Amino acid sequence: LDRNSVTVVVQVNGKLRGRISCAKDAAKETIEKEALSLDSVKPFVEGKSIRKIIVVPNKIINIVVG
């Protein structure tokens, strides 16, 4: 079985804040935009500087804010 989409876990400072579904071969920039647009992520990112965004393709995205 070959799937075209995967579920990616979204974390902010190492804590689970949501999940997104995206194409298996989606670009990192696309995954970042989708993760930052989640309603469950916005309150933790607004008004803070994003220090780093770590993307592990097809698995996880971690947004480090400070």
Side-chain angles (χ1 to χ4, degrees), residues 7-63:
T7 302
V8 178
V9 175
V10 180
Q11 293 182 339
V12 178
N13 287 341
K15 296 183 181 173
L16 179 67
R17 299 298 180 199
R19 292 179 171 85
I20 57 173
S21 181
C22 59
K24 199 174 199 179
D25 57 351
K28 288 184 179 184
E29 295 81 21
T30 306
I31 297 171
E32 289 176 13
K33 285 181 184 178
E34 284 188 43
L36 291 171
S37 68
L38 280 177
D39 290 335
S40 58
V41 172
K42 286 181 184 179
F44 299 101
V45 177
E46 287 179 352
K48 298 178 182 166
S49 63
I50 297 175
R51 293 186 181 178
K52 188 185 281 188
I53 298 178
I54 303 163
V55 178
V56 178
N58 301 329
K59 292 189 180 193
I60 193 168
I61 179 168
N62 191 0
I63 304 166

